[in-house]
Amino acid sequence: MSLVGALPFLKPCLSPSVSPGRQRRHTLPASEFRPLNTQDAISVFEIEREAFISVSGDCPLHLDEVRHFLTLCPELSMGWFEEGRLVAFIIGSLWDQERLTLDALTLHKPKGTTVHIHVLAVHRTFRQQGKGPILMWRYLQYLRCLPNVRRAVLMCEDFLVPFYQKSGFKVQGRCSITVASLTFTEMQYPVRGHAFMRRNSEATGVPQTALLLEDPIQRIESTLLLEEPAQGILADVMGFRSSTMPL
């Protein structure tokens, strides 16, 4: 699975107000999106454990499972780093069936064309800032650069269905997977065509890297700030499997 076309979506997203000269003095970029690796596993699990255990008593992925997926398919993960610190992440794997089954929780199917999003979590000190929806947007755009991916799927609790519908996901029906007393709705997002920023860069002649730094992310952040309080809270309550932790 080639990452060449997806690289623009993993470059730092820097504030236009920071001058190049000032930026050069920093060792680490202010904000960076990149695939995770096994060295990130402990940081990932610490964020996930704090987010989920207090709510559901368990984590979507245990530490050995985090390492498992970051070994088999690191290109299907994405971490958001602020000055080198992991603040939010998504972990996915490939699946090769129309609907999710229990095997989808632990297996990676290299020949599959469906990305199963296992977990999205945000560090507690960075919640209520809209980082969850922004990271999801970037991740879905990134998937559009991967040539063999046709769709993304997730399972969420019913009260989150309207939020994911706003993000482009469509309901497939009740999920066959249950966790303790929790039941889920299965949703999918069609991944087709070229990524938003690449398509627009071709039409306008503006370099992809320049487009990466402007309107799309700023528009999302502005929308989140303008939403009603209840919607803002919903936007920060995202998760999969045990989907009640705050983001």
Side-chain angles (χ1 to χ4, degrees):
M1 190 175 294
S2 173
L3 293 179
V4 175
L7 289 179
F9 292 90
L10 301 175
K11 291 184 178 181
C13 179
L14 305 176
S15 170
S17 62
V18 178
S19 67
R22 183 176 179 183
Q23 181 61 37
R24 282 195 295 270
R25 289 197 292 271
H26 290 280
T27 303
L28 296 170
S31 186
E32 178 186 20
F33 296 83
R34 67 165 173 81
L36 299 166
N37 56 57
T38 53
Q39 293 180 337
D40 300 311
I42 292 178
S43 296
V44 165
F45 184 65
E46 287 176 348
I47 294 174
E48 183 193 17
R49 180 175 57 186
E50 187 278 330
F52 281 91
I53 288 184
S54 62
V55 175
S56 64
D58 199 5
C59 292
L61 297 176
H62 293 167
L63 181 57
D64 59 338
E65 294 173 318
V66 171
R67 289 189 172 124
H68 171 72
F69 286 119
L70 295 186
T71 298
L72 292 178
C73 48
E75 73 280 3
L76 296 176
S77 67
M78 180 177 285
W80 185 342
F81 293 80
E82 296 282 354
E83 297 183 349
R85 179 186 184 186
L86 181 65
V87 302
F89 69 88
I90 290 176
I91 292 179
S93 65
L94 285 177
W95 184 238
D96 60 357
Q97 297 180 32
E98 179 65 21
R99 302 296 296 269
L100 295 174
T101 68
L102 278 174
D103 285 344
L105 302 184
T106 56
L107 298 182
H108 168 61
K109 298 286 190 176
K111 295 183 179 180
T113 59
T114 295
V115 171
H116 172 210
I117 301 175
H118 292 273
V119 59
L120 183 157
V122 177
H123 192 283
R124 63 181 180 276
T125 60
F126 293 88
R127 292 174 195 153
Q128 306 302 322
Q129 299 176 25
K131 280 183 163 43
I134 292 172
L135 180 60
M136 175 61 81
W137 184 89
R138 273 186 170 267
Y139 185 75
L140 293 173
Q141 293 300 314
Y142 166 69
L143 293 184
R144 298 174 96 180
C145 298
L146 304 181
N148 297 324
V149 173
R150 296 293 176 264
R151 65 183 185 130
V153 297
L154 59 85
M155 44 195 257
C156 67
E157 291 186 59
D158 291 347
F159 76 95
L160 287 173
V161 168
F163 173 75
Y164 290 117
Q165 287 176 325
K166 286 178 61 178
S167 300
F169 285 85
K170 297 185 182 301
V171 172
Q172 279 197 290
R174 300 305 300 173
C175 186
S176 64
I177 302 169
T178 59
V179 177
S181 61
L182 294 175
T183 60
F184 305 94
T185 295
E186 192 169 326
M187 305 189 74
Q188 69 170 345
Y189 178 92
V191 177
R192 55 177 177 264
H194 296 294
F196 172 81
M197 286 179 280
R198 173 182 294 178
R199 182 171 65 248
N200 280 274
S201 66
E202 292 172 350
T204 63
V206 179
Q208 293 177 25
T209 51
L211 284 166
L212 181 65
L213 303 180
E214 53 184 28
D215 289 347
I217 296 299
Q218 294 174 359
R219 283 199 297 269
I220 292 175
E221 291 174 336
S222 299
T223 301
L224 290 169
L225 290 173
L226 292 173
E227 287 179 340
E228 296 177 0
Q231 293 175 317
I233 293 172
L234 178 60
D236 278 348
V237 182
M238 299 172 56
F240 312 100
R241 293 206 217 168
S242 303
S243 52
T244 53
M245 60 29 157
L247 294 186

